[in-house]
Amino acid sequence: MTTHASRSLVPPGRTRTVPPALHEFAYWLHRYRRTWRGTVVLNVANPLLFLTGIGAGLGSLVNHNNSAALGGLSYLAFLTPGLLAASAMQTAYIDSAHPVHQSVQAKGHYWAASATPMSPVDIYYGHLLFNVFKVTLSATAFTAVAAAFGAVDALRAPLVVAATLLVGAAFAAPSAAWAVTAKRQPTVLAVLRFGVMPMFMFSGTFFPLTQLPGWLQPVVQATPLWHGVELCRTAALGTGTAAGTALHVGYLTVLAVVGLLLGRRTYQRHLHS
Amino acid sequence: MTETTRQPQGTVPEQAAMIRARGLQKRYGAARGEGFTAVAGIDFEVRPGEAFGILGANGAGKSSTMRMIACTSPSTGGSLDVLGLDARTEGARIRARIGVVPQDDTVDVELTVRENLLIYGRYFGLPKAEIRRRATELLDFARLTDKADERVEALSGGMRRRLTIARALINEPEIVLLDEPTTGLDPQARHLLWERLFQLKDDGITLILTTHYMDEAEQLCDRLVVMDGGLIVTEGSPGGLIERYCTREVLELRFGPGEREAMTDKARGLVERIEELPDRILLYTDEGEATLAAAHARGVVPLTALTRRASLEDVFLTLTGRSLVD
Ligand SMILES: Nc1ncnc2c1ncn2[C@@H]1O[C@H](COP(=O)(O)OP(=O)(O)O)[C@@H](O)[C@H]1O
Ligand SMILES: [Mg+2]
């Protein structure tokens, strides 16, 4: 009956000060251990398929016609960084929105974690960290394969990975911030279909902006992916201007920070309702 | 002396209460304008080592109250202290020292039984070796040792509940919250679970449990509150409540189709209180057999007659006019 009285008010954790968010990161990493082999294969096989199929196959067609719009670049050199940015967006969205939405359903993982000393913000940061980690893995694999193909200059590869990371963070933070509030699974899919995929196709990934009708160009230039594609492409080709790079980095950073601030609020509100 | 004179009966001194709620309220959706009051201002105290029950029908506000105690749902009025800490500001410190068994199992079905314990322990910042040691003990406690390396997917409902309880004990909590711990379990699984909860009680852990099973409350709780519509309608020990609100025995009479009303009219006046239910009537009496004989003498002919001890079910019916589980 009196055992509780003798305990101190400090949690009985022999206080090792690991940031709590890392526990959440560790949870997702632990689950990932079951599936990582499969994703590594995908991470290497996907770029291989893309670069041979689209880059070399389709590219030879494009290159034969000597497309002026590419400014004398080979199609492979044009496509690769764009594809990197678009894939980072896709990975960031899918890996954020789906597991986050699952975790907040009845019996979901977040309810277990939020009954512990973890705060909703710790849970958010930890999960986000894991998503950025996965973007890093796939971006690194993709860039390595591309460098082996000669599609990306090996010396510029680290810069390209860094740019891709920023794209991933800029999409992962707001995606998770929103997904924790999403009521229904079909909504999560609808955003993928009608938001993410159109951006994937039309934000300068597969063809230059100038190929689009004039009225559509400013619309595309307002999308975050266009800034991501431009950043990755100029990083890969070494064609970046100070102003352009500042604009793209600024846009994506603002998106990541706004997402982060939003996520702090939405997680707090939904996990401690 | 003056400061103690205003304390209601049964109040424990400030430091001794494990939980103290005063005018506690929960209103959902208050920020969005409309809003629904799930807990409408309740006062209660839980003492060290006690098994405290919150009894009530669906929607009474039990889970809302539990989630406020667990510091996963901020109160919207009144005050709440858990382990002497303010639940509004000390959530993380409180959560570090309590165990939570939520109404819905939140164990990870993709992980193994043991992995669930190991991962959960990390959230409390415990060292890995210590978690492993405790996990082995807790698997034994929960009778899950031979399932340790199976995926949770393969476990029965009763096993999952026991795993959830084991998980809630990983941080050696001083209070364990159990929200409807046996709902949906078959009788055998329920009894095994009760037996485990008795063990925790014996170990001096303070238990707070919600239930809509009267027999569960009678079996497990030292003291309980009955909630209805977000309010506490009464408080006491199971025996004390039955004594206060009921007679010693209850005579249950069933009648043939169409006979109930006429027979009920004939039976009126036999006892002070008759409760009419759709399928039977209840006569509250201190002497069931004598009342049945008196009823027969008046020409009341039931299809079946049953004399039983009064239970908490009868208390609930008396207080709210409704039966607890339909
Ligand atoms: N998150 C929520 N938002 C709005 N209403 C809620 C929420 N949770 C519970 N309620 C409502 O509050 C009332 C009490 O619910 P609850 O505390 O779960 O009761 P119990 O556990 O006794 O069944 C119910 O009417 C329920 O619909
Ligand atoms: Mg409930």
Side-chain angles (χ1 to χ4, degrees):
Chain A
M1 288 279 267
T2 50
T3 48
H4 67 279
S6 59
R7 296 196 190 172
S8 76
L9 290 181
V10 183
R14 342 266 173 254
T15 45
R16 287 208 307 191
T17 45
V18 177
L22 288 185
H23 299 317
E24 184 65 15
F25 177 73
Y27 165 80
W28 291 102
L29 199 61
H30 185 90
R31 281 182 48 153
Y32 184 55
R33 278 202 238 163
R34 280 182 192 291
T35 52
W36 72 273
R37 280 182 195 84
T39 58
V40 165
V41 171
L42 272 184
N43 278 339
V44 177
N46 263 350
L48 270 176
L49 280 174
F50 254 108
L51 295 177
T52 48
I54 297 189
L58 185 64
S60 67
L61 202 66
V62 177
N63 295 341
H64 267 296
N65 293 331
N66 208 356
S67 178
L70 295 182
L73 270 180
S74 80
Y75 187 59
L76 195 61
F78 173 84
L79 174 69
T80 303
L83 206 51
L84 255 169
S87 308
M89 166 189 72
Q90 200 185 19
T91 308
Y93 179 76
I94 293 175
D95 279 349
S96 290
H98 188 68
V100 167
H101 179 258
Q102 291 279 77
S103 299
V104 82
Q105 297 306 298
K107 306 191 181 202
H109 157 73
Y110 281 174
W111 304 119
S114 59
T116 71
M118 301 278 291
S119 73
V121 174
D122 295 329
I123 295 172
Y124 175 53
Y125 285 175
H127 199 167
L128 198 57
L129 192 62
F130 176 73
N131 291 340
V132 172
F133 166 76
K134 277 191 76 179
V135 171
T136 313
L137 283 188
S138 56
T140 307
F142 198 131
T143 310
V145 173
F149 260 63
V152 167
D153 181 348
L155 289 176
R156 301 202 143 266
L159 199 60
V160 175
V161 172
T164 312
L165 249 182
L166 180 60
V167 178
F171 278 97
S175 297
W178 167 76
V180 81
T181 73
K183 298 261 184 312
R184 288 160 8 96
Q185 166 79 10
T187 322
V188 174
L189 277 177
V191 170
L192 178 65
R193 257 180 224 142
F194 303 112
V196 174
M197 290 323 285
M199 264 200 273
F200 196 107
M201 303 307 294
F202 296 107
S203 294
T205 318
F206 295 100
F207 50 82
L209 190 65
T210 47
Q211 301 295 103
L212 287 172
W215 63 270
L216 203 52
Q217 294 184 12
V219 177
V220 168
Q221 279 174 315
T223 65
L225 184 57
W226 183 77
H227 290 274
V229 167
E230 284 300 301
L231 184 65
C232 287
R233 189 165 286 145
T234 51
L237 303 175
T239 53
T241 62
T245 305
L247 174 68
H248 304 319
V249 169
Y251 186 114
L252 296 170
T253 306
V254 166
L255 188 58
V257 171
V258 168
L260 218 56
L261 294 176
L262 270 178
R264 291 171 59 102
R265 285 172 62 102
T266 55
Y267 268 64
Q268 184 71 37
R269 244 194 235 151
H270 283 261
L271 298 191
H272 282 185
S273 65
Chain B
M1 287 310 278
T2 43
E3 66 267 38
T4 56
T5 51
R6 289 185 47 199
Q7 287 187 351
Q9 219 187 351
T11 303
V12 253
E14 290 292 323
Q15 286 75 23
M18 299 298 267
I19 299 173
R20 170 178 282 108
R22 288 282 173 266
L24 184 63
Q25 284 183 23
K26 181 70 201 186
R27 192 172 170 78
Y28 291 107
R32 274 169 275 131
E34 77 274 27
F36 176 84
T37 303
V39 178
I42 58 174
D43 302 302
F44 64 89
E45 255 148 48
V46 181
R47 300 162 197 159
E50 160 172 77
F52 180 85
I54 303 179
L55 193 73
N58 270 334
K62 304 183 297 294
S63 295
S64 300
T65 304
M66 292 293 253
R67 298 203 304 119
M68 286 192 280
I69 299 171
C71 301
T72 51
S73 175
S75 63
T76 52
S79 69
L80 176 65
D81 288 348
V82 181
L83 295 163
L85 301 168
D86 186 342
R88 262 175 311 198
T89 53
E90 304 277 0
R93 288 174 75 196
I94 293 171
R95 291 196 298 275
R97 294 169 62 194
I98 64 175
V100 178
V101 179
Q103 189 170 342
D104 285 325
D105 286 324
T106 56
V107 283
D108 206 303
V109 293
E110 286 176 34
L111 302 183
T112 69
V113 169
R114 190 190 300 273
E115 283 175 326
N116 262 281
L117 298 178
L118 299 180
I119 294 254
Y120 200 69
R122 297 293 294 151
Y123 283 119
F124 290 86
L126 299 166
K128 281 184 182 162
E130 177 66 11
I131 301 171
R132 267 196 299 277
R133 188 185 66 72
R134 291 187 192 180
T136 303
E137 275 179 25
L138 288 170
L139 286 171
D140 192 41
F141 169 83
R143 310 275 190 261
L144 287 170
T145 302
D146 53 345
K147 301 277 178 193
D149 300 312
E150 281 189 35
R151 287 236 233 160
V152 172
E153 259 166 351
L155 261 52
S156 70
M159 290 176 187
R160 284 185 198 196
R161 281 265 104 171
R162 298 205 304 275
L163 174 58
T164 308
I165 293 175
R167 193 183 64 174
L169 297 171
I170 197 85
N171 58 328
E172 299 186 336
E174 292 153 75
I175 302 175
V176 177
L177 307 176
L178 301 126
D179 197 354
E180 302 204 11
T182 66
T183 299
L185 300 189
D186 61 57
Q188 205 192 340
R190 282 180 82 198
H191 282 279
L192 179 51
L193 208 101
W194 285 358
E195 192 244 321
R196 297 294 75 203
L197 296 182
F198 276 121
Q199 178 70 53
L200 293 182
K201 234 175 109 171
D202 277 351
D203 294 344
I205 296 176
T206 304
L207 301 182
I208 301 171
L209 61 112
T210 74
T211 183
H212 57 233
Y213 296 123
M214 294 298 169
D215 53 345
E216 185 155 288
E218 284 182 54
Q219 286 270 335
L220 292 175
C221 300
D222 302 314
R223 212 158 52 84
L224 54 92
V225 292
V226 177
M227 278 188 84
D228 192 42
L231 289 167
I232 289 178
V233 289
T234 194
E235 171 185 346
S237 67
L241 288 177
I242 293 168
E243 205 169 298
R244 195 172 343 149
Y245 293 101
C246 287
T247 50
R248 201 169 64 87
E249 292 187 331
V250 181
L251 175 63
E252 295 199 4
L253 303 177
R254 284 170 207 270
F255 299 104
E259 286 185 332
R260 207 199 65 193
E261 271 184 33
M263 290 294 180
T264 307
D265 284 341
K266 276 194 194 176
R268 260 185 238 292
L270 276 175
V271 291
E272 248 176 61
R273 217 179 107 231
I274 294 183
E275 200 70 53
E276 293 179 60
L277 297 179
D279 60 333
R280 60 193 196 278
I281 64 171
L282 309 181
L283 283 73
Y284 290 90
T285 170
D286 285 322
E287 284 292 338
E289 290 306 315
T291 307
L292 181 59
H296 279 147
R298 284 196 184 190
V300 176
V301 196
L303 280 182
T304 63
L306 166 78
T307 297
R308 58 168 176 81
R309 280 180 50 232
S311 72
L312 279 179
E313 181 83 44
D314 300 297
V315 173
F316 190 82
L317 195 63
T318 306
L319 287 167
T320 66
R322 287 178 285 111
S323 48
L324 198 56
V325 216
D326 305 303

